[in-house]
Amino acid sequence: MSTRSVSAWSIADRTETGRSAIEAGEHSPDNGCEAQIADALIWLAFRRDQVLDEDAVVAFLDSLRDGSSPLIGGPR
């Protein structure tokens, strides 16, 4: 898939937070943050003429949420 056609919100809506918000008919501030992170990754891939793995981005964002990412640990 071309990086240019990827939507940050379409990625963010596939995360656990995004799916929960959609099912509840609500907006989640966390989902907005996930969209911003996805947008930054889309931009980096575009600037570097690389292909973005959307599934890997969704998994990365979910790992940030559930604490399994080494970038952000579990609850304080």
Side-chain angles (χ1 to χ4, degrees):
M1 171 177 282
S2 168
T3 301
R4 286 184 170 189
S5 65
V6 176
S7 160
W9 280 102
S10 70
I11 291 173
D13 286 345
R14 291 173 46 203
T15 65
E16 184 65 35
T17 301
R19 289 190 310 268
S20 296
I22 290 170
E23 289 171 4
E26 299 173 352
H27 171 75
S28 164
D30 288 350
N31 191 233
C33 291
E34 291 172 345
Q36 290 177 356
I37 293 168
D39 190 52
L41 294 171
I42 291 166
W43 178 247
L44 282 174
F46 170 73
R47 293 283 299 152
R48 296 173 180 170
D49 197 26
Q50 296 173 333
V51 176
L52 185 74
D53 182 341
E54 293 179 57
D55 293 334
V57 174
V58 170
F60 170 70
L61 293 171
D62 278 338
S63 75
L64 292 176
R65 179 195 51 77
D66 68 18
S68 66
S69 169
L71 296 175
I72 298 177
R76 290 188 225 177

